[in-house]
Amino acid sequence: LPPPPPFAPSQVVYDHPDMFEGEDQLLRVFDRDATGAWRLSEEALRRADEMGCGFKTERGDRSAVLMTPEEGRFSQMMLNVTRSLGDFYHGQYGVTWRPEVVTRDLAEELGPGGRAVLCVASDGVWDLWTFEEAMADLLDGSELPAAQPARRKLVMDFMENSRNKGYDAFGDSADNLTGIVVYIET
């Protein structure tokens, strides 16, 4: 088969109410530095502050979308960055389901008697907490014996606190919560 036709590049922009009011209203998240390397655009951040663009998370992350070009195949489509895994249409522009995998030897990283907590959760959880806040609650469970029902209760309480915090912030439109917490001991 011949290679597919080239596509115009997609772009990542900050999501805000006036983003469709003209080209100058598109706040591109990334730009290139003097060497041609990609970087976070300081100008777009400054303009986002001026325009009153809000924050999506407790950590101060702004909402961003991946936009396809204005013309051409699958044109004028937007995809929220957190929903980008495996999207059919945006796959034409390089969005992939293939994860970037990093392998670490935890016994080596933690040392003898080391403890760690792995929390894999959806944005419905992470949008509500700073990493320090979440880990402060969950790390308390690493001191408990592995078979302790108290460890399970601590995790369930964290998820319930997340649900309540989401409801307080967003009411009935609060995001769903999905997560798994693994306590690791060497």
Side-chain angles (χ1 to χ4, degrees), residues 87-135:
D87 185 79
F88 173 78
Y89 301 106
H90 283 77
Q92 307 295 316
Y93 295 91
V95 174
T96 181
W97 58 268
R98 289 183 181 92
E100 181 176 325
V101 178
V102 176
T103 304
R104 300 268 192 246
D105 181 334
L106 293 178
E108 184 179 303
E109 296 278 337
L110 298 175
R115 296 172 184 220
V117 176
L118 172 65
C119 179
V120 179
S122 66
D123 63 331
V125 174
W126 291 120
D127 286 354
L128 304 171
W129 303 97
T130 66
F131 298 126
E132 294 79 11
E133 287 173 328
M135 288 299 105

Side-chain angles (χ1 to χ4, degrees), residues 23-40:
E23 180 69 21
D24 62 324
Q25 297 298 312
L26 288 179
L27 304 178
R28 290 170 180 80
V29 174
F30 304 104
D31 63 11
R32 293 191 184 264
D33 67 14
T35 67
W38 288 104
R39 66 177 179 193
L40 196 60

Side-chain angles (χ1 to χ4, degrees), residues 1 15 23 31 40 42 48 65 80-82 115 119 121-122 129 131-132 134 139 150 152 156 158 165 170 172-173 177:
L1 292 171
D15 189 6
E23 180 69 21
D31 63 11
L40 196 60
E42 294 294 327
V65 295
N80 212 313
V81 174
T82 59
R115 296 172 184 220
C119 179
S122 66
W129 303 97
F131 298 126
E132 294 79 11
L139 281 171
R152 177 177 162 72
M156 295 306 290
F158 171 76
K165 193 171 183 174
F170 304 108
D172 289 335
S173 62
L177 307 173

